[in-house]
Amino acid sequence: MRIELLCNESKYVDILACIFEASTNNVDQICTPSGLIPRIEEEFIREHCNFSAIIDFPYGISETKIRVHEILLCQSRGIKTIDLVINRYDTENGDLNPIRKDFKICYEICKSKGLKLRPVVEYRLADDEFLPQLCYSLRENGADEIVLGTGSVVDDLIDNIICSKLIEDRLGLNVVSCSPILSQEHYDMYNDSKIHGIRVKSYKILNNLCNIQ
């Protein structure tokens, strides 16, 4: 199972600690809001650790040209993977057209620059009918992997696992789940469910996962 780490630290010393813990624990990717990318040495980004930049975190409500500008800035600093937060207002309102239009533009930009683009979906805000429509649209417009949750909304572990499995099984999308994973027991639940990946919300939790496989 893929393991990612959310680095959303306000202090430089904690950013360094996050990078150190990620490297020590063989985390597959460090995921950080795009605004923190300038605080990280380019040498780390280009040579030492695998980073993704989370664009427009955590609400995804900026207009498309601003999001595209963020993507290009991150690309210029060595980032290879872009996590694009899907507009949470449009998600909550079940408004697919602006989401589709925005994602298509961002996908084409990423494709032209050789970047991997993954949508970040705040699934707790979507109703049961809209969520599969949204995921299907994202898949049809280029996504082959999604991140389920930003980590900024109250979530339920079991709900997240169920939703992740439904998306993977019915739509053929890989899911990286960002949920309240706090212990080895929680890790094992995801691993046993054979979900593609998880995103741990703090480097301080990594020590609780004593048996990462």
Side-chain angles (χ1 to χ4, degrees), residues 1 4-6 122-124 147-164 176-190 195 197-202 204-206 208-209:
M1 185 171 64
E4 299 182 356
L5 176 62
L6 177 62
E122 201 65 90
Y123 82 103
R124 302 293 294 188
V147 180
L148 205 64
T150 62
S152 64
V153 171
V154 176
D155 199 358
D156 178 84
L157 196 78
I158 301 301
D159 287 348
N160 195 297
I161 290 174
I162 292 172
C163 188
S164 297
V176 175
S177 172
C178 185
S179 69
I181 299 165
L182 302 174
S183 67
Q184 184 66 37
E185 181 182 3
H186 294 165
Y187 172 89
D188 291 340
M189 290 170 65
Y190 276 92
I195 291 168
I198 59 172
R199 180 171 293 180
V200 179
K201 295 198 291 183
S202 170
K204 298 174 184 177
I205 300 172
L206 286 177
N208 296 339
L209 311 182

Side-chain angles (χ1 to χ4, degrees), residues 32-177:
T32 187
S34 57
L36 292 183
I37 295 298
R39 300 188 186 185
I40 302 170
E41 295 290 338
E42 281 197 28
E43 182 182 1
F44 282 120
I45 295 173
R46 295 185 182 275
E47 299 180 20
H48 296 296
C49 296
N50 186 18
F51 283 87
S52 73
I54 313 173
I55 301 298
D56 208 7
F57 179 86
Y59 299 113
I61 58 176
S62 296
E63 58 183 302
T64 301
K65 64 182 180 182
I66 294 175
R67 288 151 69 86
V68 167
H69 182 63
E70 283 192 60
I71 290 170
L72 295 175
L73 281 177
C74 290
Q75 185 266 336
S76 71
R77 291 170 177 141
I79 293 293
K80 298 298 183 184
T81 301
I82 299 294
D83 293 336
L84 184 74
V85 179
I86 300 301
N87 189 302
R88 67 165 57 187
Y89 296 159
D90 291 333
T91 300
E92 192 167 13
N93 291 324
D95 196 352
L96 189 58
N97 285 336
I99 293 175
R100 182 190 295 115
K101 181 179 179 181
D102 173 82
F103 186 77
K104 287 176 70 174
I105 292 171
C106 292
Y107 178 81
E108 290 303 321
I109 292 294
C110 287
K111 185 178 179 180
S112 70
K113 297 295 183 180
L115 303 174
K116 179 179 177 64
L117 179 63
R118 306 187 297 183
V120 181
V121 176
E122 201 65 90
Y123 82 103
R124 302 293 294 188
L125 302 180
D127 63 35
D128 293 340
E129 182 178 348
F130 180 68
L131 182 61
Q133 295 176 12
L134 171 59
C135 293
Y136 177 81
S137 175
L138 294 169
R139 188 194 73 180
E140 291 303 293
N141 285 286
D144 59 11
E145 181 174 313
I146 71 168
V147 180
L148 205 64
T150 62
S152 64
V153 171
V154 176
D155 199 358
D156 178 84
L157 196 78
I158 301 301
D159 287 348
N160 195 297
I161 290 174
I162 292 172
C163 188
S164 297
K165 285 301 292 179
L166 286 173
I167 292 171
E168 290 194 335
D169 292 346
R170 295 183 181 179
L171 294 174
L173 284 165
N174 287 330
V175 174
V176 175
S177 172

